[in-house]
Amino acid sequence: MTNIGKDIALAAELIKQGKLVAIPTETVYGLGADAFNPVAVARIFEEKKRPSFDPLIVHIADIAMLDKLFEHPISDKVYSLAKAFMPGALTIVHRKNASVPDIVTSGLSSVAVRMPSHPMAREVIRLSGTSVAAPSANLFGHLSPTKASHVAKQGMHVDYILDGGDADFGIESTVVSVHHDSVTLLRPGAISIEELREVVPEIKTISEVNETEMESPGLLKSHYSPRKPLFILTGEEKMLPQNAGLIAVSPNSIDLKTSQMLYLSDKGDLLQLASNLFSALHTMEENELVSEIYVQAVPETGIGVAIMDRLRKAAFQYL
Ligand code: TXA
Ligand code: MG
C-alpha cells in the first residue's frame, strides 16, 4: 500500500532523496521526481510504463527557475506567456538548457516547463530545492488522476502520494511550443486557445504547421483511455445497451436513460464539466455493472476543445 498523506515537508524530502512522489496540481495529479536526477526520472518511466520517446514536463515554483531549464537567450515570447499564465495551466516548450538531463526530454532539444498554481505543488517544489519532472500520475495511455485515490489505484510503486484534494480543472495543461518567436499550440488543455490569443494573437495550431517540423509525442491518437470501451454519443441514439454507463452533460441535456448514469454538471458549464470528466470516467471504469461507457459530446468552445480532444483519444480504438 502506498502511503497517502498531506505532509508537504516529507514529500519534498523524498524528492530530494531521489524518490517518486505523486503531487497534486490544479490540472491533474503528477508523478514527480527530481528533474536533475536521471536515475529518479528513469523510475517515472518504469513505473508509468511510459515509452522512453515521450518526454516529461518539468515543474517549477517561480519564474526565476526558467533560467536553469531553457537555453539562453530565452525568447521574449516565453516571458510574455509566463507573465500571463504562470502560475497556471500552461506548459511552455522551448530550447533546453544543456544541464537538463536527456532522459527528461527523451533526447529532444527542447524541454516542457510548467509552474502549477496549486499551493501544495508550489510548496513541495520550493522545499525540494529543485525542479520536478512529472507526467500525469497514471499508467501510460490510461485516464489521468484527479484525486489521490485515482493515483493509488494504478498500482504503481510510488514512495508517497501527497493528497491535495480534487484537482480544480481536472484536465491537463495546455502545451505550447515557442520556437524562435513562433508559438504553436501542441495540446489543447485547461487554458483555452481564446485566452492564449489575447496574449499571442498569431499563435498557430498544430494543423497549420508541417507535422515533420513539429514533433509532439503526446499527440498520440489513442490515449487517456478507461479500461472499458468508450463511445461518444452522436445524438441519434434511441436507446443504449443494458450494460451501458452513461455520462451526460447535465440532467436536462439528454433524453436517454440507463440505470448507471452520471452528470458532469448542473447546467452545462464547461469548466464544471471538465473538472468532473476524468473522475466520472474513473467511476464508470470501477463500476461492475458497466461494461461500455457512453459519453455525451460537448460544445467545442473554450475548454470544450480539450474535453473533446480527450474523449476522442479515449474512444479512438473503438471508432
Ligand atoms: O497538466 C499537466 O500538464 C499534467 C500535470 C501533472 O502537470 N502533466 C501532464 O503530463 O499531463 P503528461 O506527461 O501526461 O503530458 C505531457 C505532454 C505530453 O503530451 C508530451 O509529449 C508533451 O507534454 N511534451 C513534453 N515535453 C515535450 C517537448 N520537449 N516537446 C514536445 N512535447 C513535449
Ligand atoms: Mg498524461
Side-chain angles (χ1 to χ4, degrees):
M1 249 324 263
T2 303
N3 203 358
I4 303 183
K6 297 181 192 297
D7 191 339
I8 301 177
L10 171 65
E13 186 52 37
L14 290 168
I15 288 171
K16 271 189 192 167
Q17 292 170 11
K19 300 275 170 54
L20 286 194
V21 177
I23 56 171
T25 86
E26 72 279 19
T27 57
V28 301
Y29 275 71
L31 182 61
D34 178 355
F36 288 95
N37 179 337
V39 176
V41 174
R43 260 196 75 203
I44 297 180
F45 283 92
E46 191 178 297
E47 287 303 329
K48 237 191 104 105
K49 301 194 168 59
R50 185 178 179 108
S52 58
F53 61 75
D54 198 1
L56 308 180
I57 296 175
V58 177
H59 296 72
I60 58 175
D62 58 64
I63 302 256
M65 290 167 86
L66 291 176
D67 251 22
K68 280 197 192 153
L69 295 167
F70 291 146
E71 187 181 87
H72 294 231
I74 300 174
S75 163
D76 289 344
K77 281 282 184 318
V78 167
Y79 285 113
S80 22
L81 285 165
K83 199 164 156 237
F85 299 110
M86 288 189 173
L90 184 75
T91 296
I92 303 177
V93 173
H94 194 47
R95 260 194 339 270
K96 86 175 186 77
N97 196 295
S99 62
V100 177
D102 285 332
I103 186 165
V104 172
T105 64
S106 302
L108 295 178
S109 55
S110 58
V111 62
V113 181
R114 176 162 106 79
M115 189 199 305
S117 65
H118 194 298
M120 285 171 83
R122 294 259 293 296
E123 187 62 3
V124 73
I125 299 166
R126 195 183 65 75
L127 289 177
S128 74
T130 185
S131 302
V132 176
S136 51
N138 51 278
L139 289 170
F140 182 72
H142 286 279
L143 293 174
S144 296
T146 60
K147 303 170 186 290
S149 63
H150 295 161
V151 181
K153 85 173 200 192
Q154 310 284 324
M156 304 179 294
H157 294 104
V158 182
D159 297 296
Y160 190 61
I161 298 175
L162 183 62
D163 186 352
D166 290 2
D168 275 348
F169 283 111
I171 200 148
E172 299 83 354
S173 64
T174 302
V175 181
V176 297
S177 92
V178 180
H179 188 59
H180 301 298
D181 279 333
S182 146
V183 184
T184 307
L185 176 74
L186 297 183
R187 175 177 77 177
I191 298 203
S192 69
I193 181 99
E194 292 88 342
E195 287 170 89
L196 285 168
R197 284 219 168 93
E198 283 175 25
V199 180
V200 193
E202 74 284 7
I203 187 168
K204 295 183 208 143
T205 55
I206 195 83
S207 56
E208 292 164 333
V209 290
N210 188 333
E211 267 188 45
T212 50
E213 190 185 320
M214 193 60 64
E215 280 295 308
S216 186
L219 297 171
L220 295 171
K221 288 207 169 63
S222 163
H223 216 93
Y224 310 105
S225 307
R227 292 172 188 278
K228 294 175 183 172
L230 182 144
F231 304 95
I232 302 171
L233 292 172
T234 60
E236 307 277 292
E237 295 80 0
K238 299 274 177 294
M239 61 185 291
L240 296 176
Q242 187 110 68
N243 51 5
L246 174 58
I247 299 179
V249 163
S250 63
N252 295 323
S253 67
I254 195 159
D255 291 332
L256 288 167
K257 294 268 176 291
T258 77
S259 64
Q260 307 302 312
M261 202 159 166
L262 291 173
Y263 302 107
L264 294 177
S265 68
D266 307 319
K267 297 197 173 109
D269 175 73
L270 286 173
L271 284 171
Q272 194 188 7
L273 272 158
S275 71
N276 290 324
L277 175 69
F278 281 126
S279 193
L281 291 170
H282 278 285
T283 304
M284 288 297 184
E285 185 181 73
E286 289 155 19
N287 184 339
E288 285 170 10
L289 300 173
V290 170
S291 55
E292 292 178 351
I293 306 169
Y294 290 80
V295 190
Q296 199 180 3
V298 310
E300 288 193 66
T301 56
I303 202 170
V305 175
I307 298 174
M308 287 308 292
D309 170 75
R310 304 304 187 270
L311 285 178
R312 289 197 186 97
K313 285 179 173 154
F316 179 70
Q317 49 206 309
Y318 308 104
L319 291 176

